[in-house]
Amino acid sequence: MNWIRQIGRTTLDRVSATGRAGLMLFGALIAPPSFKNIPLTIKQIYVVGVQSLAIIIVSGLFIGMVMALQGYTILTDYGAEGSLGPMVALSLLRELGPVVTALLFAGRAGSALTAEIGLMKATEQLSSLEMMAVDPLRRVVAPRFWAGMLSMPMLALIFSAVGILGGHLVGVDWLGVDSGSYWSIMQATVDWDKDVINGVIKSLVFALVVTWIAIFKGYDSIPTSEGISQATTQTVVLSSLAVLGLDFVLTALMFGIE
Amino acid sequence: MDYLVNVDNMTFSRGERVIYDGVSLRVPKGKITAVMGPSGIGKTTLLKLIGGQLEPDSGDITFDGDSIVSMSRRELYQTRRKMSMLFQSGALFTDMSVFDNVAFPLREHTKLSEPVIATIVSLKLQAVGLRGAAQLMPSELSGGMARRAALARAIALDPDLIMYDEPFAGQDPISMGVLVKLIRELNDALNLTSIVVTHDVTEVLTIADYIYILADKRIIGEGTAEQIQHSESELVQQFLRGEADGPVPFHYPAPSLQKSLLGEEV
Amino acid sequence: MNRYKTELMVGVFVVMTIAALLLLALKVANQTVVTEGDTYTLYAKFDNIGGLKVRSPVKVGGVVIGRVSSIKLDSDDYSPVVELTIQSEYNAFPETSSASILTSGLLGEQYIGFEPGFTIDGVENLANGDYIEDTSSALVLEELIGQFLFSRGSEE
């Protein structure tokens, strides 16, 4: 009997956590827009966006280079090195750009967000804001949320662009694929709406999920050092799984059914 | 006498654990009221209840005649501008300098110009003796200095009520003395009402005008420092003298040692 | 963190994003020029369209002049009808023009090769909504092999 009760309790916990997460976001976003929040959001874009740039650019470059190398060895068997450009570009724009960016973002910025908000809770900064008649949802949560929503698609675009350049570096400059055909066949194949815009939409969805999880886990953490370290781990695990699962759903919706 | 805060027959529980059961206390205007009690009985919770961050299960809490419990969110935020709280850790914003921390409530709630804010901040920091530390970051301050900086921030908006959560915990004798002096002086100079929650008996007896002692979910003793010291309650006396055993038992409730060791049925 | 530096770096971030967008817009993706701007529509009936898809290009001598905008079956004779959206600047093709389904490279995508026909008196130009009469279908590998074997068999 005990395990059935366990299932019931876990379910109730999950549902109530989801409810609290929804209320948190609702409380943070349903507010008259405040101009005081713009500098705060810019500062958070610096923290979550700019400080993730280095890892995004390096990863994008290497992933583009590896894809060109792998693709070249396979495509030469069919004499189709010309298709290297579209292969690199399509995989980056449709899949790797949004997904890898979201995973790196969860590891780099998401965990930092959780830890920061968790520590603010543990050191009573959130309580103290509330006692100063400043709503921590609007003051702390909202700017971080918007910063995440803005930064992630920007990072994903930079990731894809750098990856395509990395593919060019290996495919064209090193392996000798014709530069003209790399670009022109890419251009003939890649569609702005279908590939680029869909990639951006994917990345917006991932941004929502990852930032939301990260902020909520921090906001809802048990304010002890153990609680915060647990919340940080949960943020990375949960948002990575959510990103991969959602990616399948989004891909099926966008590209699966003609 | 005029009372600023009035807690009336208030009951509060967390989950299934009852923290307060029918507690009533009154905080006189312009005085320092101390709330004492052993650790872990939720003294901080009391302050959060007064600040409206938690809601009691039953009973009422009023601030200056208005019920905190039945206030709308907007009214509550308005009322909070008249009270402030000094947290145990200080709760300074770690990403701002001391100056910006003290300026924070002013920038949030007033439309004062920067030069005016700078003047006010200097005055408040002067009052706690930290004007020279304005440009330091919170991480560069010692524990006692952080608490004083937080105190400057708490009085930035000239509140009516200031609540101190364990202001003396973990302080060396010198900073303890500084804090005692500050609490007394600020209370008298700014015509504040203060609530000090603590378990440091000696300090409190020197500054508090009125004392409540909380234990076992209720108030077990109250009165001026003198009345408390001469209280007949064993519980109060145990607390004041710091005796290890007494009405508050040394042992956490457990089956008797004999039974446990000899393996008899409990 | 000083505010000047923060804002500067966020500015750099935004500029980099715009650069990435420009690279994607100008060098990587093709905006569907054809569907925007002035176009007119032609139809072509084939026996078999092979792997032709909506959005496949229509080319004259390798130059893209339009795209396939829809493919459906004729309700009378169940043969595929392909709707072509052609840019208006190429609007003077004679009726004798032909369309055939071709493949770019050995494994490449299929497209419609459009061949402008001859002009003599009495031949009008194709106008919006006209059918192209002269069409040749996609080559299907199995049919080719079948024909080859058949012709080998009949030689002996």
Side-chain angles (χ1 to χ4, degrees), chain A residues 27 36-37 40 43-44 116 119-140 144, chain B residues 44 48 51-53 73 77 80-81 83-85 87-96 104-105 107-109 153 163 165:
Chain A
K36 274 184 189 165
N37 270 355
L40 287 174
K43 193 176 166 198
Q44 288 307 317
E116 191 198 7
L119 275 172
M120 288 178 85
K121 190 178 180 187
T123 53
E124 297 173 309
Q125 291 182 46
L126 294 183
S127 253
S128 151
L129 274 173
E130 230 176 285
M131 284 308 298
M132 280 189 250
V134 176
D135 188 345
L137 287 177
R138 288 178 201 166
R139 177 84 197 185
V140 174
R144 284 169 176 73
Chain B
T44 309
K48 288 194 169 175
Q53 286 188 299
R73 199 186 133 80
Y77 270 74
R80 279 186 189 154
R81 295 186 191 185
M83 48 171 96
S84 67
M85 183 156 164
F87 288 86
Q88 193 171 348
S89 57
L92 291 171
F93 302 125
T94 40
D95 56 346
M96 301 179 192
F104 181 84
R107 288 181 180 147
E108 279 298 316
H109 293 309
R153 186 178 67 179
M163 295 185 275
D165 183 12

Side-chain angles (χ1 to χ4, degrees), chain A residues 12 17 30 64 68 77 89 91-92 97 112 122-123 134 136 139 144 146 167 171 190 194 215 217 219 227 235 250 258:
Chain A
L12 285 178
I30 306 301
D77 288 350
S91 347
L92 279 168
T123 53
V134 176
R139 177 84 197 185
R144 284 169 176 73
W146 289 121
V190 177
K194 193 170 138 197
I215 294 174
K217 282 289 170 196
Y219 196 74
T235 292
L250 288 174
E258 285 272 329

Side-chain angles (χ1 to χ4, degrees), chain A residues 66-79:
Chain A
V66 168
M67 294 234 311
L69 204 52
Q70 291 274 18
Y72 182 82
T73 49
I74 297 168
L75 291 172
T76 36
D77 288 350
Y78 302 97

